[in-house]
């Protein structure tokens, strides 16, 4: 009986798993909040010039004011909990948070967009200010729009994006080791789903 119920539920949810649409006419405008359960921020930096050492941030939040019919007018704010840096080594995580990113003095890493450039129907760039380690610099986020659909599991319209950003750690005073040991270029990759706020459309 339990198996039968599970099969029936799965069959009922199949229509909700349709391919997301990138057609602006089929997606509602509005304010969107990050679905943190379906989002990630990973980063990579060269180690001894031999490999890309990879870590992530576990504490992330973001908000998006997005009208698919006017994507160039979107407003994005993304916030990372500095102390949530994670490499799989708790002792090293504390070193990175405290000695490299100075989490006590700069508890958040914040990106705020001030201009959106539309490249094509699914790609764009977000230009804005990145605040990290008590320093602020211009930053550019390369964005891919995966599309949107009504998410039956969440009961809300949902849109998905991938994004990449490259920064120079020395601009933000992150670490003092020479580039021959730890590269200066940090590559950041973001995967994010946003849920439309307010009453479902």
């Amino acid at each position: 009986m339990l198996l039968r119920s599970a099969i029936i539920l799965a069959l009922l949810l199949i229509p909700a798993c349709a391919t997301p649409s990138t057609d602006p006419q089929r997606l509602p405008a509005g304010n969107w909040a990050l679905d943190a359960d379906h989002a990630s921020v990973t980063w990579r930096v060269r180690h001894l010039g031999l490999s890309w050492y990879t870590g992530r941030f576990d504490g992330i939040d973001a908000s998006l004011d997005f009208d698919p019919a006017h994507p160039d007018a979107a407003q994005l704010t993304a916030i990372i909990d500095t102390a949530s840096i994670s490499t799989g080594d708790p002792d090293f995580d504390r070193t990175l948070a405290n000695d490299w990113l100075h989490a006590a003095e700069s508890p958040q890493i914040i990106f705020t967009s001030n201009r959106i450039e539309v490249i094509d129907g699914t790609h764009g760039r977000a230009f804005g200010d990145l605040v990290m380690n008590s320093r602020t610099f211009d930053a550019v986020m390369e964005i891919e729009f995966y599309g949107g659909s009504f998410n039956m599991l969440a009961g809300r319209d949902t849109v998905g994006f991938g994004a990449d950003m490259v920064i120079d750690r020395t601009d933000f005073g992150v670490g003092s080791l020479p580039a021959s040991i730890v590269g200066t270029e940090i590559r950041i990759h973001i995967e994010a789903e946003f849920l439309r706020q307010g009453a479902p459309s």
Side-chain angles (χ1 to χ4, degrees):
M1 189 67 172
L2 182 60
L3 177 60
R4 178 185 293 180
S5 298
I7 293 173
I8 292 173
L9 178 60
L11 291 173
L12 290 173
L13 289 176
I14 286 176
C17 300
T19 302
S21 173
T22 57
D23 179 0
Q25 301 305 315
R26 298 180 62 185
L27 301 174
N31 295 314
W32 306 73
L34 184 71
D35 179 359
D37 291 333
H38 298 96
S40 63
V41 176
T42 56
W43 51 267
R44 298 190 299 158
V45 64
R46 289 298 291 267
H47 176 249
L48 299 175
L50 298 173
S51 65
W52 285 96
Y53 184 76
T54 304
R56 58 181 288 143
F57 287 97
D58 292 327
I60 56 178
D61 194 12
S63 61
L64 177 67
D65 186 353
F66 177 62
D67 181 350
H70 303 283
D72 56 339
Q75 295 286 326
L76 170 66
T77 300
I79 301 172
I80 292 172
D81 175 7
T82 306
S84 73
I85 194 167
S86 176
T87 64
D89 181 341
D91 290 336
F92 188 45
D93 294 344
R94 284 188 287 273
T95 296
L96 291 176
N98 297 328
D99 300 337
W100 288 57
L101 295 172
H102 303 100
E105 295 81 17
S106 304
Q108 294 181 326
I109 300 168
I110 303 173
F111 175 78
T112 306
S113 70
N114 53 42
R115 180 168 67 89
I116 303 294
E117 175 186 314
V118 177
I119 299 174
D120 57 34
T122 57
H123 296 86
R125 294 187 181 97
F127 298 83
D129 296 325
L130 179 64
V131 180
M132 179 167 52
N133 213 10
S134 300
R135 301 186 185 186
T136 303
F137 279 88
D138 295 337
V140 180
M141 188 180 291
E142 301 284 345
I143 298 173
E144 180 178 0
F145 176 46
Y146 298 143
S149 63
F150 184 78
N151 182 341
M152 182 66 73
L153 298 176
R156 294 185 178 277
D157 292 296
T158 306
V159 291
F161 298 88
D164 292 283
M165 178 185 291
V166 179
I167 63 173
D168 186 330
R169 68 176 175 85
T170 62
D171 287 343
F172 296 92
V174 175
S176 58
L177 292 176
S180 60
I181 298 177
V182 177
T184 59
E185 180 180 278
I186 300 176
R187 297 183 181 181
I188 302 165
H189 181 70
I190 301 162
E191 291 289 329
E193 293 182 18
F194 288 83
L195 300 174
R196 187 172 183 269
Q197 302 302 287
S201 59

